[in-house]
Amino acid sequence: MKKAYDQDERIANMTFTSVYPHYVTKVEKKGRTIAELHQVICWLTGYNEKKLQSFTEEKVTFETFFKNASLNPNAQLITGVICGYRVEEIENPLTQQVRYLDKLVDELAKGRKMEKILRTT
């Protein structure tokens, strides 16, 4: 149980700014665009492009990033395994939200159609 708590605390204190460049690298390496990445992030969080830009410049933690987000109601449809964890079974809400984002970025990088990533079909 301590392991899960340590992971939750580590994720809460991680900054969005420190992870964002990795998201960009991952999707661009697979032929996707930053615009598509932003579309996915904005879909999940409810942020607009301007707000997302401010978060990439500031050193906000994931805790702050998601505390101010309006999570998409279809986020619960995000399922599967990411980083060895089944996202729908993660108990800590913040950790689950970060893993939702990781899963969406992973799906984008793997070439999944945007309609499927955004859970519209």
Side-chain angles (χ1 to χ4, degrees):
M1 196 61 154
K2 184 176 183 337
K3 181 181 175 190
Y5 175 77
D6 290 345
Q7 175 192 326
D8 294 339
E9 189 172 319
R10 184 180 58 80
I11 287 173
N13 294 319
M14 194 177 304
T15 63
F16 177 73
T17 304
S18 68
V19 177
Y20 177 77
H22 299 287
Y23 290 155
V24 171
T25 300
K26 185 173 191 167
V27 299
E28 286 186 330
K29 194 183 291 187
K30 298 294 185 165
R32 301 306 284 257
T33 66
I34 292 175
E36 289 174 311
L37 173 62
H38 288 184
Q39 183 181 358
V40 166
I41 296 171
C42 291
W43 174 86
L44 178 64
T45 62
Y47 294 132
N48 61 29
E49 189 74 28
K50 185 177 180 179
K51 190 68 174 169
L52 184 59
Q53 181 64 35
S54 74
F55 281 130
T56 61
E57 295 168 357
E58 300 170 19
K59 293 190 179 202
V60 298
T61 62
F62 270 119
E63 184 172 32
T64 300
F65 182 82
F66 279 104
K67 182 168 55 170
N68 297 314
S70 298
L71 209 62
N72 189 295
N74 287 338
Q76 65 188 14
L77 300 175
I78 302 168
T79 60
V81 177
I82 190 77
C83 300
Y85 297 92
R86 184 155 286 286
V87 293
E88 62 270 26
E89 295 175 0
I90 296 173
E91 292 180 12
N92 181 288
L94 175 62
T95 301
Q96 186 177 50
Q97 292 166 355
V98 173
R99 294 304 183 201
Y100 281 161
L101 180 55
D102 291 343
K103 183 71 175 162
L104 294 177
V105 171
D106 201 45
E107 290 175 0
L108 183 64
K110 288 181 177 177
R112 196 165 193 208
K113 291 182 180 181
M114 193 60 79
E115 301 81 39
K116 297 280 188 188
I117 296 170
L118 303 182
R119 289 11 188 210
T120 57
T121 57

